[in-house]
Every structure is written in structure tokens, then in C-alpha cells.
């Protein structure tokens, strides 16, 4: 059965248990106000237990879960941040050896994503380069292809730019870094099944510069920006254990897409394929002796393109529906863009459909 239930959430947020400035309750209430369906708190090198569960606001509910962002705190310079979900155990002691960390998470039934794999420094603000460097590691689930706060960090080239974007945060996001997309496409082209997620890396950090004071940025604002949309076969029914399994089964398989919801809601995006073996959704494999037909539907008209291994297969400058026959094997994914404030901005980045044909 094809997935038909869509849930929007954020998989990367911090609280007062590490370097965030909000409590779990404040994060949950902000996520509810932002319209999210789930939130995963990923404090640094600590798995905060006892916070998992549903939060309610009227007839709306939010599933809050605990994950972890693990890195070797003693490493200089700092690198290799790994998002870990659903292990139900503390793995930070393994941070010095990324492969052991990934292996242990997998053995515990968990899922691992390389956090902000390209994360340039901002030396004026004493911010290090936090990029992933241990690319020899194998067996991780996927990549965080878009991180809103990392994108803001890349703009911190002067105090003027920092202040400008602090007061105009809607102008920050343009899209995933091209280097991250290129890395993802290279992995897909060499046969790796690598799932993409997108997040905010929310901290709600208070910053003062002379008479100026801002929170960079409030949780509620961030949860309206870059999110991961997850498609499940069955609806979430309000049972914490059953629902977390449904969500992460879909996330790990790539039955999801990354949406920049501040531009316009990305709910309702659809990417599927029809072939000899039936119908496939994102994250699935489809076979066709002489090709398959890709089917795309956007929530509104936008620039739309299909990408295979880093090459644009087809571009539609203005469309909300597209059909594309393809006859080459490979991992096909969708990108959509909208104009805002004079720039072409990323809106939707799908996970791939894996096509197998008689090339």
C-alpha cells in the first residue's frame, strides 16, 4: 500500500540540557504553534530520557521524542556531528570513533544522519568549521542536506550582515549548499541508498550587541522554516511507541521530503513512479523493462526539475504537475524553487525513487 498520510516535523533541536536556551516544554509549545506534528530534541552528547510523549493544544497534538547529536568534544578542530535516533541508549562515549558510533547505533536499532555535513566557519564570531570529514564511514542512514542555522552562519561575514539577517531572517534561506547536494548525488550515483532530511538546528540563542538584543532565532519561527515531511502507510493514532516506529520506518527508508515551509506550505507534494512492477513512492525501487513514468504534483506552481546523479534530466519553469518517462536506471529526485525577495529559493527537495531498467 502506498503511503498516504503526511506528517511534518523537525529532527534537530536543542534545549537547556546542552547549548539550547529553551526547556522541552517551551520547545513543544513552539512546535505546536508552528503547526508541526512531531519534534525530536537532539541535545549534544546527552540522551535526555523521560520527555517522550504527546503534547496537546486543543484538537492538535505533537509527538516529542528524544534523539541525540553526538560529537567528539575533545577533538580540535571540532568535526563530525552525528544525529542519532531511536537507540534508546547513550552512545556519546563512542564519539571518538565515528564508525564504531554508527555501528553501535545500527546494532541498537537506531538511525544515523550526518549533521550539517558542510558547515563553514565564521571566524569573526569565533565559530569553527563543523563539517563532516570522516567520509570513509559506512552504514549511516543519511544526510542532513539542509540546516537553516548553518545557512545563517555562512552569512556571518561581518557585524552588518549578522545584524541585517538577525532582523530579516526570512531572507536567509536560499537552499541546501551545492556541495552537500553534490556529495549526496555522488553517493547515490555509486549505489548508496542515502536518505535526506532537513532541519533547523534550533537553539533560540539570545544575542546582545550594544543596545541591540535578538533571539537567534525563536523556536516557533525556526519550526516554520526547513522541515522534514514524512509519509506513512497508516495514520499516527496517538500511541507513542507505535507512532514513533511508523515515523522512523518511513524516515529511514526515505519516504519523506525536505520542505521550506516559510515560503509556502509544502504539504501535499507528491512524487511517484509507474512501471512494470507497479507503483513506487519516494524511497522505493521500481523496475521497468523499457522505462518508467515519473509523476510529480506540487502544492502550487513553481520551477520544477528532476535530477539524476547530479544532472538535471528535465526542467519546467512554471508547473504544478509534471509527467516524465525515463529509461535509464538510477536514483531520481525532485527539486522545486520559488522566487522571493529577488532570489530563486529552494522550496522542495525530495528523496529519490530508485529506477531499474534494461539500459
Amino acid at each position: 500500500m502506498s503511503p498516504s498520510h503526511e506528517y511534518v516535523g523537525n529532527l534537530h533541536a536543542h534545549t537547556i540540557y546542552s547549548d539550547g536556551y529553551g526547556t522541552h516544554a517551551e520547545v513543544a509549545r513552539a512546535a505546536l504553534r508552528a503547526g508541526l506534528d512531531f519534534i525530536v530534541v537532539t541535545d549534544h552528547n546527552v540522551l535526555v530520557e523521560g520527555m517522550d510523549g504527546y503534547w496537546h493544544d486543543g484538537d492538535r497534538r505533537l509527538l516529542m521524542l528524544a534523539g541525540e547529536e553526538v560529537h567528539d568534544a575533545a577533538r580540535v578542530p571540532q568535526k563530525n556531528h552525528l544525529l542519532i535516533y531511536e537507540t534508546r541508549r547513550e552512545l556519546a562515549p563512542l564519539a571518538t570513533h565515528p564508525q564504531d558510533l554508527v555501528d553501535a547505533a545500527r546494532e541498537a536499532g537506531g538511525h544515523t544522519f550526518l549533521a550539517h555535513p558542510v558547515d563553514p566557519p565564521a571566524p569573526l564570531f569565533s565559530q569553527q568549521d563543523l563539517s563532516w570529514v570522516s567520509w570513509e564511514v559506512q552504514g549511516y542512514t543519511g544526510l542532513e542536506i539542509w540546516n537553516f542555522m548553518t545557512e545563517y552562519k555562512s552569512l556571518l561575514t561581518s557585524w552588518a550582515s549578522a545584524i541585517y539577517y538577525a532582523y530579516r531572517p526570512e531572507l536567509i534561506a536560499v537552499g541546501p549548499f551545492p556541495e552537500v547536494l553534490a556529495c549526496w548525488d555522488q553517493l547515490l550515483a555509486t549505489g548508496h541508498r542515502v536518505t535526506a532530511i532537513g532541519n533547523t538546528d534550533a537553539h533560540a540563542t539570545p544575542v546582545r550587541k550594544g543596545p541591540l538584543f535578538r533571539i537567534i532565532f525563536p523556536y516557533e519561527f525556526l519550526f516554520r522554516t526547513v522541515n522534514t515531511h514524512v509519509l506513512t502507510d497508516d495514520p499516527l493514532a496517538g500511541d507513542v511507541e507505535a507512532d514513533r516506529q511508523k515515523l522512523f520506518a518511513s524516515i529511514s527508508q526515505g519516504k519523506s521530503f525536505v520542505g521550506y515551509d516559510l515560503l509556502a506550505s509544502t504539504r501535499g507534494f507528491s512524487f511517484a513512479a509507474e512501471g512494470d512492477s507497479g507503483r513506487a513512492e519516494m524511497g522505493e525501487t521500481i523496475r521497468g523493462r523499457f522505462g518508467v513514468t515519473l509523476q510529480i504534483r506540487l502544492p502550487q506552481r513553481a520551477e520544477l526539475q528532476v535530477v539524476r546523479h547530479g544532472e538535471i534530466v528535465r526542467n519546467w519553469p512554471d508547473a504544478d504537475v509534471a509527467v516524465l518517462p525515463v529509461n535509464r536506471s538510477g536514483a531520481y529526485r525532485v527539486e522545486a524553487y520559488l522566487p522571493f525577495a529577488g532570489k530563486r529559493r529552494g522550496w522542495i527537495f525530495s528523496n529519490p525513487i530508485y529506477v531499474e531498467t534494461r539500459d
Side-chain angles (χ1 to χ4, degrees), residues 26-293:
E26 288 168 334
V27 169
R29 287 194 290 266
L32 276 164
R33 291 193 301 270
L36 297 188
D37 300 305
F38 68 92
I39 185 77
V40 185
V41 175
T42 52
D43 280 309
H44 291 280
N45 292 338
V46 58
L47 182 63
V48 182
E49 298 181 288
M51 300 295 185
D52 293 359
Y54 270 103
W55 290 72
H56 296 83
D57 182 12
D59 60 353
R60 293 209 67 258
R61 69 185 180 200
L62 170 94
L63 178 59
M64 172 177 275
L65 299 173
E68 188 172 12
E69 184 177 4
V70 174
H71 65 282
D72 181 1
R75 191 188 195 282
V76 180
Q78 190 57 253
K79 304 289 181 185
N80 294 341
H81 286 228
L82 187 72
L83 293 167
I84 302 178
Y85 307 113
E86 295 301 277
T87 59
R88 317 289 186 95
R89 53 174 287 210
E90 178 60 70
L91 295 177
L94 299 175
T96 54
H97 301 288
Q99 186 63 67
D100 292 345
L101 182 60
V102 169
D103 292 344
R106 186 173 63 251
E107 290 168 7
H111 317 280
T112 52
F113 289 80
L114 311 191
H116 40 74
V118 173
D119 191 322
L124 181 63
F125 300 88
S126 302
Q127 295 290 314
Q128 300 179 49
D129 184 315
L130 301 179
S131 302
W132 185 270
V133 294
S134 296
W135 288 104
E136 72 281 2
V137 170
Q138 309 235 341
Y140 52 86
T141 311
L143 302 176
E144 184 182 59
I145 64 165
W146 196 353
N147 179 305
F148 185 92
M149 287 305 298
T150 296
E151 193 168 4
Y152 174 61
K153 179 185 170 187
S154 74
L155 299 172
L156 300 181
T157 56
S158 67
W159 272 107
S161 63
I163 293 170
Y164 176 76
Y165 288 109
Y167 283 84
R168 297 294 307 277
E170 73 279 7
L171 302 181
I172 292 172
V174 173
F177 293 145
E179 305 95 311
V180 176
L181 292 179
C183 176
W184 185 29
D185 284 324
Q186 178 60 32
L187 289 166
L188 294 173
T190 52
H192 294 83
R193 297 214 168 192
V194 180
T195 296
I197 57 175
N199 298 304
T200 60
D201 202 349
H203 292 75
T205 305
V207 175
R208 185 178 297 279
K209 175 67 172 174
L212 302 178
F213 174 81
R214 298 291 284 179
I215 294 178
I216 311 296
F217 294 100
Y219 290 113
E220 182 179 348
F221 168 78
L222 288 172
F223 296 154
R224 296 182 186 273
T225 60
V226 179
N227 292 306
T228 300
H229 292 237
V230 183
L231 305 178
T232 64
D233 293 335
D234 301 310
L236 303 187
D239 181 292
V240 174
E241 291 304 312
D243 291 349
R244 71 193 305 162
Q245 290 177 28
K246 291 175 189 175
L247 279 174
F248 275 99
S250 288
I251 291 168
S252 64
Q253 293 169 43
K255 295 182 178 181
S256 59
F257 64 91
V258 177
Y260 180 39
D261 294 302
L262 192 66
L263 283 183
S265 174
T266 61
R267 285 186 188 263
F269 166 72
S270 173
F271 177 37
E274 297 277 358
D276 293 347
S277 58
R279 179 180 173 87
E281 305 281 347
M282 288 175 286
E284 297 179 335
T285 298
I286 187 165
R287 296 172 179 84
R289 288 173 296 170
F290 304 105
V292 305
T293 301

